[in-house]
């Protein structure tokens, strides 16, 4: 397959859908907002441009400008000054307008006068809401201690409240989705190998070969990252994609390895063993930087091509081809570390193997390889430390998960909630996370929430999780608030290395009664008796003081169109003391394999198929489901089914189905079948984030199937405590009849 793709053609795929939806118009009785599905008017006459926006439709934080007419934001664009995303933003970034003016947004504080999970909302004043939050959180703290509270944060605005609960209230039960269901294992796996976390800064733009394990760029979209990938392809890099599905990246690949899910570590071990046995590894790099080579070599010596081919269900020849292609392009190979890596509960070992492969190829600190470009550090101002300390940390108490990412594994928190051991957890603060859809086994989440004495949610939309709040507070959206200071680097410009600083500045004033997170946290802190410890009085002051520490200010940034650019440093080169633990003694001492090891995952039971999920190119998880532009681009999440299997089952493209899993949990909503040769016969695939159950979402509710509803079997990664989510098995239900999946 060729990889002759231009950047334009590629970005078209993502933007096409967003541009071609039908015209519909719904007017909300409550706000009078028109919900038009039409694109913004083509002419921007009479608009003024506001700079300083930073997108948070996802967490890549592209820099934005907004076009404003009649006090209304009518268009978002990439900030032309940006050396990161440039003028480009993705379909989701564009559609931020429709989040801002979504009639269903949370507008004022609400109190649940019904039940958790089946709420009835009563509008209350901020004063009443904050008094209740303060009093009830304080009561739980007094009765159970700081560790009687759990926090589920996500996103830039959640850091300040998270620090308050951790450092001042003494809450060790903090679980971020980005760590325990996303990329935490990657960071831990690389830390245990390279002593540094990878970021995604692998130098794809300058690589001769790019190796993607499960990453599917084009569906997974982070603008500047995708640009680096495309730049590499345009310059002729070979592309290897390991994926059970013919993904957007597989479609551009030179080698597509249609691997059996869960077996990637076996594949990596065989590639590495082949390189070692044939002396095709970087001996100089290994001698200079790697420890434990002999143990490593003997530890992987069983991994023959035949052994792996059988386990991975792929041709022997293909593994050899991959190894040869990597070796012949080394060291300029980009072994991508991945991002969502919580797959099967055997993931830490796979991430270690990926890091080891990178080292064997000497692909560190070189063009095309693993690099660590240095961005300017802007230190955040936050609460001073001084809570109860770590002795109550669940993770430490249980003496479990020595390689856990920062925070506490979500499962340990739910265990404590449900058993009261080692201590009860009786209040919960959920801020920018939707644990209903981000954490597997929804029943356990519901049960954990139901036993709480108090649940606070701070969000911008009504979602599946907000239905469990006692008090629900409306935060200002990312277009209406100061916030996070984004820093980064650009090292692909011809001989020029640059870095930038871009604080989030509001493009419009906050609407309704929405308030920012610093204000909300401070007001709660005062009412919990911690007013004396407040580190900063407003979000604007916080950002201004943080900028001050690097000789900048909000005023200065306004003059600089929202982005300050400085000279950067050459990211290439390897420090003399950079050390790679091919064999990690500490891991072995903790009772886990010290050499990367393949651990088999549960096989698909007869009559079922494995449920696999991933990113939709036009949505971010669940958070964008009510966005009318994005909804029109992809209203449901079709379930991909292999064509031969479909034929045997009598299913046709577009058939309406629901799914039932091997624990007899049935999806509460339906979707359609997508029949395709581009998927293995032993899996089905769907986009994550659909199937919201909150009826207040007038666009997104009940559209498509929520994959998380069907992910009930837990697979905990033994080294890290993170959740593996791809060991669940389903059957189809059509017209009320359960259909077995043929062998
Ligand atoms: N089954 C399954 N589970 C997964 C994944 C998967 O693919 N499949 N993906 C995993 C990954 S990679 C990740 S990163 C996580 C994502 O997990 P989450 O970040 O929890 O994802 P969302 O479901 O989008 O929920 C986000 C919540 O934050 C709210 N929100 C959005 N913006 C703001 C804001 O500015 N302020 C506040 N206060 N709230 C806001 C949204 O309305 C929503 O309620 O999920 C993980 N879990
Ligand atoms: N459009 C869009 N882009 C996003 C996001 C978004 O919500 N929307 N979210 C961002 C975030 S927070 C994250 S973490 C990243 C996630 O993006 P990725 O890290 O790319 O993760 P997923 O989307 O979960 O990846 C799913 C891919 O893995 C393949 N796969 C499934 N099982 C296996 C297996 O066992 N082995 C192999 N080799 N492959 C397998 C699937 O077929 C699919 O192609 O995307 C980021 N970018
Ligand atoms: S990748 Fe898209 S959604 Fe994410 S920050 Fe950039 S423009 Fe926004
Ligand atoms: Mo993620």
């Amino acid at each position: 397959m060729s990889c002759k793709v231009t950047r334009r053609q590629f970005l078209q795929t993502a933007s096409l859908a967003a541009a071609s939806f039908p015209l519909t118009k719904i007017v909300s009785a409550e706000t009078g907002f028109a919900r038009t599905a039409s694109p913004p008017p083509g002419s921007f006459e009479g608009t003024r441009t506001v700079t300083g926006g930073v997108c948070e439709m996802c967490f890549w934080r592209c820099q934005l400008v907004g076009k404003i007419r009649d006090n209304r934001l009518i268009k978002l664009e990439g900030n032309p000054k940006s050396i990161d995303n440039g003028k480009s933003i993705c379909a989701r970034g564009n559609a931020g307008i429709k989040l801002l003016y979504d009639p269903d947004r949370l507008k004022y504080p609400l109190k649940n006068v019904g039940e958790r999970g089946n709420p009835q909302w009563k509008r209350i004043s901020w004063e009443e809401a904050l008094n209740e939050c303060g009093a009830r959180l304080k009561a739980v703290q007094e009765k159970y201690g700081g560790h009687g509270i759990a926090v589920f944060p996500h996103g830039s605005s959640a850091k300040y409240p998270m620090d308050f609960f951790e450092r001042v209230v003494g809450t060790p039960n903090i679980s971020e989705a980005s760590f325990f269901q996303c990329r935490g294992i990657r960071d831990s796996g690389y830390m245990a190998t390279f002593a540094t976390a990878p970021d995604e800064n692998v130098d794809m733009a300058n690589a001769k070969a790019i190796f993607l394990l499960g990453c599917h760029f084009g569906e997974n979209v982070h603008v500047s990252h995708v640009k680096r990938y495309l730049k590499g392809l345009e310059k002729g890099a070979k592309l290897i994609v390991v994926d059970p599905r013919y993904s957007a990246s597989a479609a551009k690949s030179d080698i597509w390895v249609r691997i059996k899910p869960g077996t990637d570590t076996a594949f990596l071990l065989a590639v590495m063993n082949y390189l070692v046995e044939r002396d095709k590894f970087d001996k100089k790099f290994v001698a200079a930087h790697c420890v434990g080579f002999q143990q490593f070599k003997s530890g992987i010596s069983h991994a023959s091509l035949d052994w792996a081919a059988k386990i991975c269900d792929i041709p022997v020849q293909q593994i050899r081809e991959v190894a040869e292609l990597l070796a012949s392009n080394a060291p300029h190979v980009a072994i991508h570390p991945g991002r969502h890596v919580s797959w099967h509960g055997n993931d830490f070992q796979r991430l270690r193997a990926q890091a080891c492969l990178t080292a064997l190829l000497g692909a560190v600190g070189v063009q095309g390889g693993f690099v660590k470009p240095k961005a300017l550090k802007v230190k955040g101002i936050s609460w001073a430390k001084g809570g109860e300390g770590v002795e109550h940390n669940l993770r430490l108490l249980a003496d479990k998960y020595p390689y856990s990412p920062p925070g506490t594994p979500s499962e340990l928190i739910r265990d404590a909630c449900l058993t009261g051991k080692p201590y009860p957890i009786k209040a919960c603060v959920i801020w920018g996370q939707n644990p209903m859809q981000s954490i597997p086994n929804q029943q356990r989440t519901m049960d954990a929430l139901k036993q709480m004495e108090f649940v606070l949610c701070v969000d911008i939309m009504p979602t599946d999780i907000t239905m469990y709040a006692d008090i629900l507070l409306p935060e200002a959206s990312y277009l209406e608030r100061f916030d996070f200071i984004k820093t980064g680097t650009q090292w692909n410009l011809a001989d020029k290395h640059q870095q930038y600083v871009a604080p989030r500045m509001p493009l419009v004033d906050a609407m309704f009664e929405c308030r920012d997170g610093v204000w909300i946290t401070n007001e709660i802190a005062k009412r919990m008796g911690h007013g004396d410890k407040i580190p900063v009085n407003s979000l604007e002051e916080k950002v201004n003081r943080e900028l001050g520490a690097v000789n900048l200010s909000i005023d200065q940034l306004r003059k600089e169109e929202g982005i300050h650019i400085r000279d950067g440093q050459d990211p290439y080169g390897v420090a003399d003391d950079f050390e790679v633990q091919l064999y990690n003694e500490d891991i072995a001492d903790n009772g886990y394999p010290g050499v990367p090891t393949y651990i088999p995952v549960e096989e698909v039971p007869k009559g079922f198929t494995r449920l696999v999920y991933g990113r939709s190119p036009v949505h971010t998880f669940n958070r964008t489901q009510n966005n009318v532009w994005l909804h029109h681009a992809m209203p449901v999440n079709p379930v991909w089914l292999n064509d031969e299997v479909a034929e045997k089952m009598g299913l046709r493209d577009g058939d309406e189905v629901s799914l039932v899993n091997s624990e007899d949990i049935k999806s509460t909503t339906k979707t359609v079948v997508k029949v395709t040769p581009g998927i293995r016969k032993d899996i089905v695939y769907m986009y994550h984030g659909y199937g919201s159950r909150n009826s207040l979402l007038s666009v997104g509710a009940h559209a498509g199937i929520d994959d998380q509803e069907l992910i009930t079997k837990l697979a905990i990664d033994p080294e890290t405590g993170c959740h593996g989510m791809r060991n669940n098995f389903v059957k189809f239900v059509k017209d009320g009849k359960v259909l077995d999946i043929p062998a």
Side-chain angles (χ1 to χ4, degrees), residues 57-59 90 92 154 178 181-183 200 212-222 241-248 257 259-264 338-341 343-344 350 610 612-622 679 683 685 688 726:
M57 291 295 277
C58 84
F59 300 112
C90 75
R92 299 163 297 150
H154 200 189
S178 49
Q181 287 80 30
C182 173
R183 64 186 168 84
E200 270 112 288
L212 304 181
L213 201 82
C215 306
H216 55 143
F217 301 133
E219 291 159 291
N220 153 2
V221 179
H222 281 160
V241 174
V242 184
D243 197 310
R245 183 180 66 96
Y246 193 61
S247 65
V257 182
I259 199 164
K260 179 175 166 180
T263 66
D264 296 72
R339 184 166 171 117
H340 173 59
V341 294
W343 294 355
H344 296 101
R350 183 183 74 250
R610 188 181 297 273
V612 174
Y613 57 79
R615 302 292 150 254
S616 153
V618 298
H619 278 292
T620 302
F621 323 116
N622 181 251
I679 189 156
I683 69 168
Y685 179 84
H688 166 67
R726 290 182 180 153

Side-chain angles (χ1 to χ4, degrees), residues 353-369:
Q354 266 170 265
C356 290
L357 175 61
T358 308
L360 281 187
L361 295 164
V364 178
V366 291
Q367 290 224 339

Side-chain angles (χ1 to χ4, degrees), residues 74-259:
I74 61 163
K75 190 166 190 282
L76 291 165
E77 293 174 355
N79 188 331
K81 197 180 167 189
S82 168
I83 55 168
D84 179 58
N85 55 296
K87 280 190 194 166
S88 320
I89 51 175
C90 75
R92 299 163 297 150
N94 259 294
I97 301 253
K98 287 292 173 191
L99 166 72
L100 182 66
Y101 298 120
D102 190 323
D104 299 335
R105 266 185 68 175
L106 300 177
K107 304 177 189 74
Y108 19 71
L110 297 171
K111 181 183 166 106
N112 186 356
V113 292
E115 297 162 45
R116 284 193 202 126
N118 188 16
Q120 260 188 291
W121 297 111
K122 180 182 160 217
R123 179 179 174 175
I124 56 174
S125 68
W126 269 107
E127 191 58 27
E128 186 183 346
L130 293 165
N131 285 344
E132 180 148 352
C133 292
R136 293 182 69 182
L137 287 165
K138 191 165 175 230
V140 169
Q141 186 191 357
E142 279 169 3
K143 193 158 154 203
Y144 302 97
H147 51 271
I149 301 173
V151 184
F152 291 89
H154 200 189
S156 47
S157 72
K159 175 86 174 79
Y160 184 81
M162 178 179 116
D163 286 348
F164 166 67
F165 283 102
E166 184 179 7
R167 297 176 184 177
V168 178
V169 182
T171 308
N173 321 305
I174 295 180
S175 202
E176 288 184 82
S178 49
F179 287 135
F180 294 98
Q181 287 80 30
C182 173
R183 64 186 168 84
I185 301 179
R186 177 194 76 186
D187 297 0
S188 302
Y190 273 71
M191 284 295 292
T193 315
F194 285 180
T196 179
D199 216 315
E200 270 112 288
N201 284 317
V202 54
D203 191 15
M204 291 189 286
N206 297 302
K208 291 188 177 162
I210 298 173
F211 177 89
L212 304 181
L213 201 82
C215 306
H216 55 143
F217 301 133
E219 291 159 291
N220 153 2
V221 179
H222 281 160
V223 173
S224 56
H225 198 59
V226 170
K227 282 185 172 188
R228 274 181 217 146
Y229 160 73
L230 291 175
K231 184 97 182 168
L233 295 187
E234 278 172 5
K235 284 165 65 183
K238 298 286 181 206
L239 178 64
I240 301 163
V241 174
V242 184
D243 197 310
R245 183 180 66 96
Y246 193 61
S247 65
S249 289
K252 293 166 179 50
S253 66
D254 294 275
I255 306 178
W256 171 36
V257 182
R258 215 178 53 158
I259 199 164

Side-chain angles (χ1 to χ4, degrees), residues 147 170 172-173 388-395 397 422-423:
H147 51 271
N173 321 305
E388 283 176 55
V390 292
E391 70 272 22
H392 290 293
N393 193 324
L394 276 176
R395 174 176 142 199
L397 275 185
Y423 47 73

Side-chain angles (χ1 to χ4, degrees), residues 436-437 442 464 669 690-691 693 704-710:
M436 224 50 207
Q437 288 212 333
Q442 295 178 335
D464 288 3
T669 50
Y690 283 78
R693 269 150 291 173
I705 289 181
D706 172 12
D707 58 330
Q708 202 67 285
E709 212 176 5
L710 298 156

Side-chain angles (χ1 to χ4, degrees), residues 535-557:
V536 68
N537 291 312
S538 74
L539 187 43
E540 184 169 357
E541 181 195 327
K542 177 172 176 322
V543 170
N544 208 28
R545 276 174 49 196
E546 288 168 355
L547 287 171
V550 289
N551 297 323
L552 292 168
S553 65
I554 289 173
D555 282 348
Q556 180 62 23
L557 262 296

